[in-house]
Amino acid sequence: MDAIQSAYSTRRWLILAILSAGAFLSPLDFIIVNVALADIKTALHASETALQLVVAGYGLTYAVLVVTGGRLGDIYGRKKVFMSGMMVFTFASACCASAKDINWLIAARVLQGMGAAMLAPQVIATIRVIFPPTEQPKAMGIFGAVFGLAVIAGQLLGGILIDAHLFGWTWESVFMVNLPVGLICCTMAYFFMEENQAVVRPKLDIGGIVLATICLLLFIYPLVKGREAHWPLWVFMSVLLSGVTGWLLFRYEERLLILKRSPLLHTPLLRNVTFLKGAGVVFLYNHTAAIFLIFPYYLQNGLHKDAFDAGMAVLPYAIGFFIAPLVSHRFQFSGHRLIQGGLLLITMGCMLGAIALHFESTPGLLLKTGLLMAGIGHGTVMPAMLRQIMSDVDVSLAGQASGIVSTAIQVGSVTGTAVIGTLFFTLLEYFSYSRSIEISFITLSVVFFTGWRLAISYNKSYIADI
């Protein structure tokens, strides 16, 4: 590792900028497309179900394949896989923008998700490899801020691009904006990044990839489609089968390890209680994705705000999420203290938001303060958590670990959106909009409080391991 860090010593911050540009596009495209859905529906004569697939096709593919993307970086080199993922993502963006019918757009979004799954885990793994421990807090802080910036840009840039009608584009512009960024990023990576990969080059575990893909697909797809389908029996059977497939995957990977082959998943990682607790915390705090579903819906349908006002209302959260990673590493606190403090801030922010929604007829200072607190909490805990998990893992396992952590991020977002979204829309059948979102925010605060308790347990496990 020291040799790799030495090779990068003069330009590691430039490498981080290149990696961050790639990392920025992945969450941006998950958010920005929501702004364009109304125009897509009109232009391509799309049904509501098809529009859901435009959103879910990207997120589902990304979540299902990201652990495989991490392994590909170990095998073929993280520079190669990062650049390949960026090229796939850029090409898919051009395909999205040129779509003449909704099915073509859905297929292109799936291809985009594949590209994102290839490039995203290389970022975390490379930061772990090229930065010394003293600089990793700052590097992870910049990486975390990228996600906050993507949320802000997704809320504002989409509307600006559509309204600008550049070159006669409307919804197409939210995809075309990826092209120059992707091409510049690939060019810079080619000239300035050096290759890094696992010390012992493993072989591709096809069986593990197939089982992992089936397992995640069986779990995530019913969560995405369940509410729309009114939670039929096949949804619960699918989740149950995902657990069975997960067990088969674990046994298969253990067998490969015994035979001294190269498993997709290093099963001792999955037996490591500390690592699993860390991944559990990552999974829980990413339930914040539900806020970006239920809050704008409440504003647009309950308070009859337009899309721009609804997007602006979420900005306090996004601003906190952007600023906190840039400054939190400067405080003289341990990573575990930052993690626990961040989760408490998210918990209190959601509780304050629930109180505000109970007493305020329209969003006011109290609600904005709650959202800002939650955003600061999220922005504090994210880089600290990623850095702590990755620092506990040997460099040779960086790709696999980053793939598992990236999967926890995506699955947490999908689960939070599905569960909290279902709760919110079910409550609307019995209560007012304000009461329904108030209860949803209280439920979110319980989820984050659970994450805080798990983070305390994670700290104790970490100390015990030391």
Side-chain angles (χ1 to χ4, degrees):
M1 181 176 69
D2 291 338
I4 295 173
Q5 288 174 354
S6 177
Y8 275 94
S9 60
T10 59
R11 57 182 183 277
R12 58 188 178 276
W13 296 107
L14 174 60
I15 302 304
L16 179 61
I18 297 168
L19 294 170
S20 296
F24 173 79
L25 290 178
S26 300
L28 175 72
D29 253 57
F30 192 80
I31 295 168
I32 197 171
V33 73
N34 290 283
V35 181
L37 289 179
D39 290 272
I40 291 172
K41 181 178 182 179
T42 302
L44 302 182
H45 310 289
S47 65
E48 295 293 336
T49 300
L51 290 176
Q52 285 188 324
L53 287 174
V54 169
V55 178
Y58 175 81
L60 182 63
T61 308
Y62 186 178
V64 165
L65 295 180
V66 71
V67 68
T68 301
R71 191 55 167 161
L72 290 174
D74 288 340
I75 297 171
Y76 298 109
R78 296 177 187 117
K79 174 182 175 178
K80 288 189 185 74
V81 177
F82 175 81
M83 288 180 60
S84 298
M86 182 59 71
M87 286 188 284
V88 170
F89 186 91
T90 305
F91 173 73
S93 297
C95 292
C96 288
S98 62
K100 300 302 180 184
D101 65 74
I102 193 64
N103 292 324
W104 177 269
L105 179 58
I106 292 169
R109 287 285 285 171
V110 169
L111 187 61
Q112 258 194 328
M114 292 173 63
M118 291 172 67
L119 70 89
Q122 315 316 322
V123 180
I124 301 174
T126 301
I127 290 173
R128 169 72 178 91
V129 170
I130 70 173
F131 283 93
T134 54
E135 292 181 343
Q136 285 185 20
K138 184 177 180 180
M140 283 294 186
I142 293 171
F143 173 71
V146 163
F147 280 79
L149 184 61
V151 173
I152 295 172
Q155 296 292 330
L156 299 179
L157 184 61
I160 292 171
L161 287 172
I162 291 171
D163 290 342
H165 294 286
L166 292 173
F167 307 107
W169 297 328
T170 54
W171 61 270
E172 299 94 337
S173 58
V174 303
F175 298 112
M176 292 300 292
V177 72
N178 296 332
L179 271 60
V181 178
L183 292 173
I184 292 170
C185 194
C186 278
T187 303
M188 296 285 285
Y190 178 80
F191 285 106
F192 294 104
M193 284 184 69
E194 292 183 20
E195 193 58 271
N196 72 91
Q197 62 191 68
V199 177
V200 178
R201 182 175 176 176
K203 295 182 179 179
L204 193 61
D205 174 14
I206 301 297
I209 289 173
V210 171
L211 285 172
T213 300
I214 293 172
C215 175
L216 289 167
L217 193 61
L218 286 171
F219 181 78
I220 297 171
Y221 182 76
L223 292 181
V224 171
K225 298 295 291 183
R227 179 176 59 83
E228 177 194 351
H230 305 293
W231 301 104
L233 180 61
W234 69 263
V235 167
F236 301 98
M237 292 300 296
S238 179
V239 173
L240 180 63
L241 283 173
S242 75
V244 175
T245 310
W247 179 81
L248 290 173
L249 170 65
F250 186 82
R251 300 299 299 173
Y252 175 78
E253 298 295 88
E254 279 204 321
R255 180 66 178 166
L256 290 184
L257 203 60
I258 292 170
L259 296 173
K260 299 187 184 303
R261 295 180 184 173
S262 304
L264 173 70
L265 299 173
H266 187 68
T267 51
L269 271 180
L270 301 180
R271 289 187 181 277
N272 186 307
V273 174
T274 302
F275 181 81
L276 287 180
K277 285 181 178 179
V281 173
V282 171
F283 168 78
L284 288 173
Y285 79 65
N286 274 286
H287 279 55
T288 49
I291 294 173
F292 294 94
L293 168 68
I294 62 174
F295 189 54
Y297 188 93
Y298 158 72
L299 292 172
Q300 290 180 268
N301 295 275
L303 301 184
H304 307 293
K305 303 285 186 181
D306 61 30
F308 181 79
D309 287 338
M312 290 294 290
V314 189
L315 273 185
Y317 187 102
I319 291 170
F321 190 5
F322 172 65
I323 294 174
L326 297 176
V327 300
S328 59
H329 70 276
R330 298 177 182 274
F331 296 108
Q332 298 302 310
F333 297 119
S334 68
H336 290 289
R337 293 295 183 190
L338 288 173
I339 293 164
Q340 293 167 29
L343 285 163
L344 271 182
L345 272 175
I346 305 175
T347 303
M348 292 187 295
C350 286
M351 281 301 300
L352 188 61
I355 293 169
L357 289 162
H358 182 80
F359 290 104
E360 295 177 349
S361 57
T362 57
L365 181 60
L366 193 61
L367 179 57
K368 292 175 183 176
T369 302
L371 290 172
L372 180 63
M373 285 176 60
I376 291 173
H378 196 171
T380 299
V381 71
M382 181 181 177
M385 192 74 246
L386 295 180
R387 173 170 53 90
Q388 195 66 65
I389 292 176
M390 295 304 293
S391 67
D392 297 342
V393 174
D394 189 84
V395 171
S396 64
L397 300 174
Q400 292 190 60
S402 65
I404 295 170
V405 171
S406 298
T407 301
I409 291 172
Q410 296 305 314
V411 174
S413 298
V414 171
T415 305
T417 302
V419 173
I420 303 300
T422 297
L423 172 66
F424 174 69
F425 289 112
T426 301
L427 289 170
L428 285 177
E429 298 176 9
Y430 304 97
F431 302 106
S432 65
Y433 275 94
S434 58
R435 179 56 58 88
S436 297
I437 195 167
E438 175 191 339
I439 296 172
S440 299
F441 266 68
I442 291 171
T443 305
L444 277 169
S445 69
V446 173
V447 171
F448 301 131
F449 181 78
T450 304
W452 175 69
R453 293 296 304 169
L454 184 60
I456 293 175
S457 175
Y458 170 72
N459 186 22
K460 291 178 180 177
S461 299
Y462 179 77
I463 293 171
D465 286 348
I466 292 174

